Amino acid sequence: MPPTIVLIRHAQALHNIQSYHALPDPDLSDLGRQQAAELREHLKVHLPADRKVQLIVVSPMRRAIQTCLIALDWLIDSGVPVVPDARWQELYPKPCDTGTPAPQLAAEFPLIDFSGLDPVYPDKTSPAGAQYAYAKEAILARGQSALGDLYKRSEDVIVVVSHSGFMRTAVAGRWFANADYRVFDFVDRQREGVEDDEPYRLVEWELTKGKGGLGTSNDAEVGFGEDLPGL
């Protein structure tokens, strides 16, 4: 049976305050750190007690890593591994949405192993980084690749810390406010007779349907690929 997926958007970062999009790979703001701490206390109470989180996947951008280390430290301390995955980075080629090279990240965040991170990261503009390009086809393919890998895993529950734009347009079709989360199950492809070439899809739990687990997100649904540029 495919794992249950908890999707978390990073807490407020410095570029979220006044749209400082020229700020490279920004850190969390003071409010963002507070939001992440509040999310931590919420998740400790509201994640289903009969389910076991066995893996954390995180975007390798600073704001996602910092949110992960604050909000999920209690899981990390219990031995849950953290895997950075470039596919979960944000969409855009702006400085604020372009990451930091792995050697620098490894020095900043020694608790996380970056050795398995795609060596092309953080490139998303050259031919080498084409799979991370800001283009509809590439973004949708990245979402399917990320979901396909999770679908095949054996863990009971996987928590992912990522970004609003990517999760909204390529993964879940739902909005995420800063530090809010949603819980999903996969459509079971074998049980439902889904063909191999059909996309992976998620079904949201009633627990978070509408405005998200914290009740702070927009409740509108979004079409996959909506407003993304073509090639």
Side-chain angles (χ1 to χ4, degrees):
M1 184 174 181
T4 290
I5 307 299
V6 181
L7 297 181
I8 298 173
R9 182 189 177 191
H10 65 82
Q12 186 194 73
L14 294 173
H15 72 297
N16 296 135
I17 300 174
Q18 291 186 357
S19 298
Y20 294 142
H21 293 153
L23 190 63
D25 197 9
D27 294 309
L28 293 182
S29 65
D30 290 341
L31 175 58
R33 293 179 181 280
Q34 178 183 330
Q35 290 173 335
E38 291 170 353
L39 176 62
R40 176 186 189 271
E41 299 310 310
H42 175 94
L43 292 175
K44 289 176 71 174
V45 173
H46 290 90
L47 283 183
D50 60 340
R51 304 293 301 276
K52 186 173 180 59
V53 175
Q54 296 176 307
L55 179 68
I56 299 167
V57 177
V58 63
S59 157
M61 305 194 78
R62 283 196 183 100
R63 56 192 183 269
I65 296 169
Q66 291 166 351
T67 299
C68 172
L69 293 176
I70 295 171
L72 305 176
D73 66 335
W74 52 287
L75 293 172
I76 299 168
D77 289 346
S78 73
V80 178
V82 179
V83 176
D85 188 332
R87 289 172 296 186
W88 290 93
Q89 67 181 295
E90 187 55 298
L91 305 177
Y92 314 102
K94 305 169 187 173
C96 66
D97 293 324
T98 299
T100 300
Q104 187 174 339
L105 292 174
E108 291 181 31
F109 306 104
L111 292 178
I112 296 179
D113 180 5
F114 292 93
S115 63
L117 186 63
D118 187 344
V120 77
Y121 183 83
D123 179 13
K124 60 173 74 172
T125 58
S126 80
Q131 66 175 310
Y132 305 112
Y134 181 48
K136 182 175 182 178
E137 183 176 336
I139 291 165
L140 292 179
R142 175 154 64 98
Q144 283 298 298
S145 174
L147 286 175
D149 273 8
L150 295 188
Y151 182 89
K152 296 165 189 166
R153 296 195 65 99
S154 61
E155 287 86 359
D156 184 24
V157 179
I158 299 173
V159 177
V160 180
V161 185
S162 185
H163 305 266
S164 177
F166 179 61
M167 293 192 294
R168 181 177 69 250
T169 60
V171 175
R174 302 306 302 268
W175 290 86
F176 293 79
N178 285 126
D180 205 359
Y181 73 98
R182 297 181 185 272
V183 183
F184 299 88
D185 286 321
F186 279 99
V187 172
D188 191 315
R189 298 168 71 83
Q190 184 173 4
R191 187 179 63 194
E192 299 296 330
V194 176
E195 298 294 332
D196 289 345
D197 60 350
E198 292 184 45
Y200 293 92
R201 289 287 181 256
L202 300 173
V203 179
E204 189 169 4
W205 282 26
E206 291 296 329
L207 176 72
T208 62
K209 258 188 179 178
K211 293 185 177 295
L214 296 181
T216 56
S217 297
N218 187 323
D219 61 358
E221 296 189 13
V222 181
F224 288 93
E226 188 171 305
D227 297 328
L228 294 178
L231 293 175

